[in-house]
Amino acid sequence: MAIEARRDVFQAIADPTRRQIINLIAREPMNLNAIADQFDISRSAISQHIKILTECGLITIKQHGRHRYCEARLEKLNEISNWVEQYRKFWTQKLDALETYLEELQNKQNKQNQKPGKPVLKKKKKTEK
C-alpha cells in the first residue's frame, strides 16, 4: 500500500521557483512554454513545479486550442495569510507589552535621576563651651 503525499499551499510556496511562477501568472494567464522560457531550468522541471502548484490548488490549467494556459487561484493563499496573521497578532501583543515595560523602566529611571532642588540647610546653633 503506497502512501500518497498530501500537498498543501505551504509546500507550494516553499520553493522559490514556484513562488516566481505564481508571481508570473498572477498578472496574466500564461501558456506552459511562456512560463518555461522565463527560467534557466528544463521544461520537465517546470512541468513538475506546475504539477505541484496544480495539486495544491494555486493554479488551474485550461486548454485553449492546442495550448494549455495556467491561471492563478490566489484565494488559496488566504490559508497562509490566516496562519501568519495569528502569529502577527501574537508578536504584536508581545512587542506592545515589551514597549510598555520599557517605558515604565525609563520613567522609573528618570525619576531616580532627577536632581531635586537644593536642600535648605538649617544653621546649627553653636554650643557654648
Side-chain angles (χ1 to χ4, degrees):
M1 181 172 154
I3 297 176
E4 185 176 318
R6 182 180 177 272
R7 304 226 188 253
D8 64 15
V9 180
F10 295 93
Q11 252 184 319
I13 66 165
D15 185 274
T17 301
R18 289 193 289 269
R19 291 193 302 269
Q20 287 180 303
I21 292 170
I22 292 167
N23 286 336
L24 282 172
I25 64 173
R27 295 183 197 108
E28 65 178 314
M30 296 177 74
N31 71 35
L32 294 171
N33 289 331
I35 293 170
D37 289 343
Q38 302 293 317
F39 298 92
D40 291 330
I41 58 177
S42 69
R43 291 194 189 282
S44 63
I46 292 297
S47 293
Q48 185 62 34
H49 286 299
I50 296 293
K51 179 182 177 189
I52 291 169
L53 290 169
T54 303
E55 289 172 358
C56 296
L58 283 170
I59 66 171
T60 58
I61 299 175
K62 295 186 177 180
Q63 191 80 31
H64 291 274
R66 292 182 3 197
H67 296 283
R68 295 172 56 197
Y69 285 85
C70 297
E71 294 180 0
R73 295 185 59 215
L74 300 179
E75 63 276 0
K76 290 291 286 182
L77 293 175
N78 286 335
E79 184 179 338
I80 293 167
S81 178
N82 293 338
W83 184 81
V84 169
E85 181 63 17
Q86 70 183 346
Y87 292 101
R88 188 196 62 76
K89 286 179 183 177
F90 171 81
W91 284 110
T92 298
Q93 289 172 351
K94 294 294 184 188
L95 291 172
D96 287 347
L98 177 61
E99 181 180 25
T100 301
Y101 175 73
L102 292 174
E103 285 173 356
E104 289 171 1
L105 280 179
Q106 185 68 43
N107 290 337
K108 185 177 178 181
Q109 186 177 22
N110 287 343
K111 286 180 183 178
Q112 289 175 352
N113 290 340
Q114 284 179 347
K115 294 180 181 176
K118 290 184 179 179
V120 177
L121 296 174
K122 294 183 181 179
K123 290 184 179 180
K124 291 185 180 178
K125 292 183 184 179
K126 290 186 180 180
T127 55
E128 293 182 28
K129 290 188 184 181

